[in-house]
Amino acid sequence: MQVTSCITGYHDAMSRVIPVIPLTDTFQRPLRDLRISVTDRCNFRCTYCMPREIFGPDHVFLPRSQLLDFDEITRFARIAVENGVRKIRLTGGEPLLRKNIETLVGMLAALRTPDGEPIDLTLTTNGTLLGKKAHALKQAGLNRVTVSLDALDETIFANMSDSGVSVKTVLASIDQAAQAGLTPVKVNMVVRKGINDHQILPMARYFRGTGHILRFIEYMDVGDSNGWNFDEVVTGAQIIDTVASEFSLEPRDPDYRGQVAKAWRYTDGQGEIGVITSVSQPFCGDCTRLRLSPEGRLFTCLFASSGHDIRDMLRADLPDQEVLGRLASVWGARTDRYSEHRGEQTEDGTRKKIEMSYIGG
Ligand code: SAM
Ligand code: SF4
Ligand code: SF4
């Protein structure tokens, strides 16, 4: 095999990149996960993510011409997979609003690591369109889904999602995803004190024993539009105490470095739950996630203010080595540890942050 070298790795005769070492940032964190936001639009207006006062009829979303197309997304993803990425999550906005998303899923599912292994391909959705698409997504090669659901109570759900969608629709989608084999289905519940915290136990009771994994997420100060206040955060420890008041739980070891949710299992074998403690117990030290925005900007942190454009290189059809060079320099310069310094940054309140509905969870 003919091999040529450059600063970031080696290229074979087909110009595929063969890495020498995984890309690492300034804290030696490897690049392992890629989250791809395929749209900044959504059919919900969750109060903690896209409050209607800000994301109203006059809000200007990205024009279609600015979005990366499926070939551009897949090319960037391939270069990332050739250089350490092992897991890709599609997100948004609502990713199932992106037309023909199953085509993109098929293209990403065909990617292989330098060892010839498939990647772990998942998607996060609010579940409204999942019932219809679950089988097509599975057939295209999606491994699993995460479905967001903040309450079983219809009124609380309607208030939090600010949508006319019924809880029943989301629950039916979860069942259809499981039937299609997109398992285990994970269910994300953002917990806000005084708004849906009394839904913790009903949600735990409902999903216990189903094989689905309920994950409680601490309410985060993402973006600049949700008016976040620490008083509304219910910590992971408080959530676990609440569930443990009714069911016996024990902690479970993480499956891999960088696993976001801390896992707890029911001691009677009825499954497990997770807590995502981004606020009370930050996990920046193990953060191996890179984010690609709908119009092709790279973000090295969920709380970043600005990204690094990659679309110009993809549209100019520059060689893989040059795209990899930019990826390596963006990741190599990464210093992000926002959640570990949260107090200092939010009290000042001057720094702009990207919105969750634009970059995805
Ligand atoms: N629309 C899809 C959905 O809701 O599943 C995917 C995108 S959404 C931005 C991804 C995840 O981020 C969801 O599980 C959502 O609940 C979570 N999220 C949004 N805003 C949040 C916040 N302020 N704090 C914690 N989680 C948040
Ligand atoms: Fe839409 Fe998801 Fe944000 Fe809710 S959390 S507004 S469903 S992008
Ligand atoms: Fe990663 Fe940034 Fe979240 Fe820390 S704050 S875990 S660096 S995304």
Side-chain angles (χ1 to χ4, degrees):
M1 180 169 57
Q2 184 199 337
V3 175
T4 55
S5 67
C6 75
I7 48 158
T8 50
Y10 292 89
H11 308 278
D12 66 13
M14 308 282 290
S15 200
R16 288 172 307 204
V17 181
I18 305 167
V20 179
I21 47 169
L23 301 180
T24 50
D25 69 9
T26 55
F27 296 116
Q28 299 308 309
R29 295 171 295 191
L31 171 60
R32 286 284 179 236
D33 308 81
L34 177 62
R35 297 200 172 182
I36 303 174
S37 174
V38 292
T39 178
D40 59 341
R41 291 164 200 258
C42 188
N43 53 340
F44 279 15
R45 285 292 177 272
C46 300
T47 49
Y48 52 77
C49 178
M50 294 182 86
R52 203 172 285 278
E53 316 83 81
I54 291 166
F55 294 88
D58 298 337
H59 182 77
V60 181
F61 291 98
L62 290 167
R64 195 171 295 268
S65 60
Q66 284 198 22
L67 302 186
L68 290 185
D69 67 26
F70 291 172
D71 286 326
E72 291 164 341
I73 293 174
T74 306
R75 177 162 177 238
F76 178 76
R78 174 180 56 73
I79 293 168
V81 167
E82 286 167 351
N83 289 280
V85 164
R86 295 292 170 266
K87 181 171 175 182
I88 294 182
R89 177 175 297 279
L90 293 173
T91 178
E94 175 45 44
L96 298 188
L97 289 180
R98 181 85 187 246
K99 215 171 154 201
N100 300 326
I101 186 78
E102 50 278 29
T103 304
L104 176 63
V105 167
M107 292 162 79
L108 295 174
L111 297 178
R112 291 292 174 268
T113 71
D115 299 332
E117 296 294 323
I119 51 158
D120 187 18
L121 185 58
T122 66
L123 176 147
T124 304
T125 171
N126 62 27
T128 49
L129 301 169
L130 181 61
K132 281 192 211 115
K133 294 201 175 222
H135 277 280
L137 290 167
K138 178 68 187 177
Q139 278 191 331
L142 192 70
N143 298 123
R144 284 174 292 104
V145 280
T146 299
V147 182
S148 302
L149 177 65
D150 298 326
L152 288 176
D153 179 280
E154 291 283 3
T155 308
I156 298 171
F157 180 72
N159 286 338
M160 280 187 86
S161 64
D162 196 1
S163 75
V165 174
S166 163
V167 172
K168 291 191 190 78
T169 304
V170 183
L171 293 177
S173 283
I174 292 171
D175 288 344
Q176 279 157 302
Q179 278 161 23
L182 294 167
T183 50
V185 178
K186 293 180 182 164
V187 179
N188 275 0
M189 172 181 176
V190 175
V191 183
R192 282 180 85 174
K193 196 178 285 175
I195 310 258
N196 69 336
D197 48 344
H198 47 296
Q199 288 286 291
I200 293 172
L201 273 172
M203 288 279 284
R205 285 182 204 123
Y206 183 90
F207 287 108
R208 216 175 94 82
T210 60
H212 311 323
I213 301 173
L214 176 60
R215 297 159 5 132
F216 300 97
I217 307 181
E218 290 179 353
Y219 175 40
M220 289 187 285
D221 52 334
V222 279
D224 294 313
S225 59
N226 64 11
W228 184 85
N229 183 328
F230 183 76
D231 295 344
E232 281 189 76
V233 176
V234 182
T235 66
Q238 291 166 331
I239 292 166
I240 291 300
D241 281 351
T242 304
V243 179
S245 69
E246 188 163 321
F247 303 109
S248 167
L249 288 169
E250 64 186 7
R252 188 172 73 65
D253 287 338
D255 294 322
Y256 55 89
R257 179 181 177 188
Q259 187 173 345
V260 173
K262 293 185 181 66
W264 292 74
R265 74 176 130 228
Y266 293 111
T267 54
D268 62 1
Q270 290 300 302
E272 68 177 61
I273 59 172
V275 278
I276 301 180
T277 58
S278 343
V279 179
S280 67
Q281 284 179 284
F283 33 78
C284 299
D286 273 341
C287 181
T288 55
R289 291 179 290 285
L290 175 69
R291 294 176 157 88
L292 178 64
S293 75
E295 86 294 33
R297 296 178 77 76
L298 296 174
F299 289 87
T300 55
C301 181
L302 188 51
F303 300 89
S305 307
S306 59
H308 308 266
D309 185 56
I310 199 91
R311 188 183 63 190
D312 58 347
M313 302 187 98
L314 297 170
R315 295 233 158 134
D317 209 15
L318 295 184
D320 282 5
Q321 296 92 303
E322 291 192 37
V323 179
L324 172 58
R326 182 167 299 176
L327 167 60
S329 72
V330 166
W331 191 261
R334 180 180 190 243
T335 56
D336 306 278
R337 299 185 86 96
Y338 175 86
S339 289
E340 293 182 351
H341 300 286
R342 175 168 273 109
E344 301 148 39
Q345 287 151 355
T346 47
E347 272 148 34
D348 147 292
T350 51
R351 197 175 68 85
K352 287 262 164 232
K353 289 176 280 161
I354 43 167
E355 293 297 330
M356 188 75 143
S357 55
Y358 160 78
I359 201 64

